[in-house]
Amino acid sequence: MTSGSLDFQKVGARLRHGEYLTVWKRNKKGKWLVDIRAEVENNGKDGEFDLEYIEPTDSWYLKHRSKVRLNQREDIVLETDKLMSTVLKADNPTAYKEFLSEDVRFLFPWTSPMEGKDKMMAYLKKQRMTIETVPEEVKRSYSGDFAYTKGTATVRQKDKVVKYNYIRVWQLSELAKDDVKKANWNILIEMMFEK
């Protein structure tokens, strides 16, 4: 997955700014191809992040061959997104507090990109924004520690309701609690973009 700022311009038009998210998938021959790409436009101010590389937690992983097992692994992520969607309907702050990683990146149209759970939650509260989502698709990396879901979102802000598409990039994180390892799926990137 790659994400960052972009500038674009049509001939004779003004320079525009935004953020992009591209999820890549390797084909059977080992060539990287774009699986999904999305962009949001913003005002071009702030939001530059340091270049960061995230590698799988372990170079060794169980290589599942069965389609059934691979689908089961994707179902876990999809059910996690569905659970988050259910909690979002009841209480946005609780849902985001539970499912966001501490260093989440939030990409939203006409807003400078944000990094960090506290910043994102403070922004949503300040804007009096509530979000409801409906997941539609999931893909999980073969190594199993990254996945993405996509679907539709309804964003309510004051007296305005806007429909968006969303992409959530999930990362599997292990928490050690009382000498017991527990796996947890957390959102690494939350992106809303116009339909």
Side-chain angles (χ1 to χ4, degrees):
M1 181 257 322
T2 54
S3 180
S5 59
L6 64 93
D7 297 319
F8 56 99
Q9 183 175 25
K10 292 183 180 178
V11 175
R14 67 178 176 81
L15 181 65
R16 298 164 77 176
H17 310 281
E19 295 288 317
Y20 74 92
L21 171 65
T22 305
V23 178
W24 301 83
K25 189 172 185 176
R26 196 180 313 200
N27 69 9
K28 291 181 181 183
K29 294 182 180 180
K31 184 177 178 183
W32 288 101
L33 303 171
V34 173
D35 193 42
I36 189 170
R37 180 178 168 89
E39 300 171 355
V40 293
E41 193 169 350
N42 61 31
N43 55 18
K45 297 179 185 171
D46 307 326
E48 284 297 319
F49 302 122
D50 292 334
L51 188 59
E52 182 179 354
Y53 294 97
I54 301 173
E55 293 290 335
T57 53
D58 193 350
S59 60
W60 182 92
Y61 56 88
L62 183 59
K63 294 167 178 64
H64 296 281
R65 303 261 187 250
S66 160
K67 271 285 195 201
V68 171
R69 181 64 182 128
L70 292 171
N71 289 339
Q72 288 171 342
R73 290 163 32 107
E74 287 185 347
D75 287 345
I76 291 169
V77 181
L78 185 60
E79 292 304 317
T80 302
D81 200 329
K82 286 179 181 178
L83 175 61
M84 181 180 177
S85 296
T86 301
V87 179
L88 278 171
K89 286 180 185 175
D91 187 9
N92 265 216
T94 300
Y96 281 122
K97 185 177 180 183
E98 181 66 28
F99 291 98
L100 295 179
S101 68
E102 290 300 322
D103 56 349
V104 66
R105 292 186 179 179
F106 184 52
L107 307 176
F108 192 76
W110 300 107
T111 303
S112 295
M114 284 167 251
E115 184 170 31
K117 181 192 285 191
D118 294 337
K119 284 183 182 177
M120 180 179 166
M121 291 180 67
Y123 172 80
L124 295 175
K125 183 177 180 180
K126 182 179 178 185
Q127 297 297 319
R128 292 184 288 173
M129 186 182 297
T130 59
I131 300 171
E132 291 183 16
T133 59
V134 178
E136 295 173 352
E137 187 180 339
V138 61
K139 299 262 179 103
R140 186 169 171 178
S141 67
Y142 195 64
S143 62
D145 48 358
F146 291 98
Y148 77 85
T149 52
K150 67 178 189 171
T152 58
T154 303
V155 178
R156 290 178 175 78
Q157 188 174 9
K158 300 171 187 166
D159 59 346
K160 190 166 84 172
V161 178
V162 181
K163 300 282 187 181
Y164 292 98
N165 290 316
Y166 76 86
I167 298 174
R168 289 186 178 125
V169 176
W170 298 82
Q171 181 178 23
L172 184 63
S173 49
E174 289 186 9
L175 304 171
K177 191 173 185 178
D178 302 327
D179 295 329
V180 176
K181 284 192 176 183
K182 178 179 145 186
N184 220 25
W185 282 100
N186 296 110
I187 299 170
L188 199 56
I189 295 181
E190 171 93 307
M191 180 184 205
M192 306 275 169
F193 54 100
E194 285 107 359
K195 288 183 126 187

